[in-house]
Amino acid sequence: MTMADFDWKARFGPLINTLSDDGLEDWAALLQQQLIRRFEERPHGDLTRWQTALSQLPDLGSIEGHLDSSAVTLESSQALTSEQQKQLEQGLRGLMPWRKGPFDFFGTYIDTEWRSDWKWDRVSPYLSDLSGRRILDVGCGSGYHCWRMHAGGAKRVIGIDPGLLFLFQFLSVKDYLGDIPVDLLPIRMEDLPADLETFDTTFSMGVLYHRRSPLDHLLDLKGTLRKGGELVLETLVVDGPEGYSLMPEDRYGQMRNVWFLPSCDTLLRWLDRTGFRNARVVDVTTTTTEEQRSTDWMRFNSLQDFLDPDNPSKTVEGYPGPLRATVIAEKP
Ligand SMILES: C[S@@+](CC[C@H](N)C(=O)[O-])C[C@H]1O[C@@H](n2cnc3c(N)ncnc32)[C@H](O)[C@@H]1O
């Protein structure tokens, strides 16, 4: 890979063309404007640094991706030289902190803050067969789950996430895999045109509690789906009766921007009231300090530091510790 400015047109042009070809010209035009704003008019201060890190990753011969294993894995047919190994390490270190994964780049294991594979293992048994489906993954982070969805047979996967470092982490995998119908767009849910009605499955995992208006988020998600399409929603919940939800006074587990943690029954009612059908809770799991922790690739504080040391079932603010539910529902 060669050092160059971030060429967003080359990066996103093929997807923009595909959207146009698929009858989504309005989205393609809007996206183009948003990308101009993001990369030309208001470029992120770390853009050059991340592009440099990406360009340090060594060119290798033929690459095989194993996207169906717990670590999304890249293998090269040839052993890396010590120089290539050094470039690889430097490039990947330059894209720290790595939060969502894990990944294995030619034997270099990226132990991410999150065991995102554990979430996939909880969610994937309940999904409709992904074969041939067009999938949207809202708030996809580094795109870890997008790779797993592709491995599950999806025809096309589009992840969206406003975090630009996540885009570069995603590209560090994608650049080795070549032309593959998996893309990550650095945009927010609110940047999508309303009522695309095009996706067979839409995922929203770890996003709802960040939305000040969770019902609008559910309506926006519904708008992305074709009739009969499937919503996969994963979010923080609390114990409590139907109708109950927790709104933290300020931070929750040190996280800013956490608005509503509903009980499972409340969440089901929200889905019902926003017009989904057949909503069912398929999993409820407490997040542990084995699933979310600091690692050599994410050296900042993590869950252990966000829980009350005297009572780890509570957050440092005294709220119930993180409990996550997965709900599946259909758009009628
Ligand atoms: C807790 S992470 C979840 C990542 C991944 N989906 C998972 O479950 O492991 C939440 C992600 O949502 C993204 N996000 C926050 N607000 C968003 C919005 N309005 N639209 C799309 N993504 C958003 C954040 O950048 C972050 O990467």
Side-chain angles (χ1 to χ4, degrees), residues 99-101 114-116 119 137-145 149 160-164 166 185 187-191 203-211 217 234 255 257 324:
R99 292 189 185 273
K100 313 289 179 183
W114 283 87
R115 290 296 306 261
S116 309
K119 186 179 287 191
D137 184 7
V138 175
C140 66
S142 64
Y144 170 86
H145 294 124
M149 293 165 198
I160 61 170
D161 199 296
L164 261 199
F166 285 136
L185 295 172
I187 58 170
R188 300 166 307 167
M189 174 89 225
E190 310 83 280
D191 299 326
F203 288 79
S204 166
M205 301 196 288
V207 181
L208 187 77
Y209 52 87
H210 287 308
R211 304 302 299 141
H217 183 63
E234 193 261 8
M255 274 187 289
N257 219 8
R324 292 183 143 75

Side-chain angles (χ1 to χ4, degrees), residues 14-41:
L15 178 62
I16 289 173
N17 291 338
T18 302
L19 295 178
S20 294
D21 294 346
D22 286 353
L24 299 167
E25 299 87 352
D26 290 352
W27 184 13
L30 179 67
L31 179 60
Q32 193 146 354
Q33 291 311 310
Q34 291 163 341
L35 294 174
I36 290 174
R37 212 170 309 134
R38 190 95 219 245
F39 292 109
E40 293 184 10
E41 294 172 6

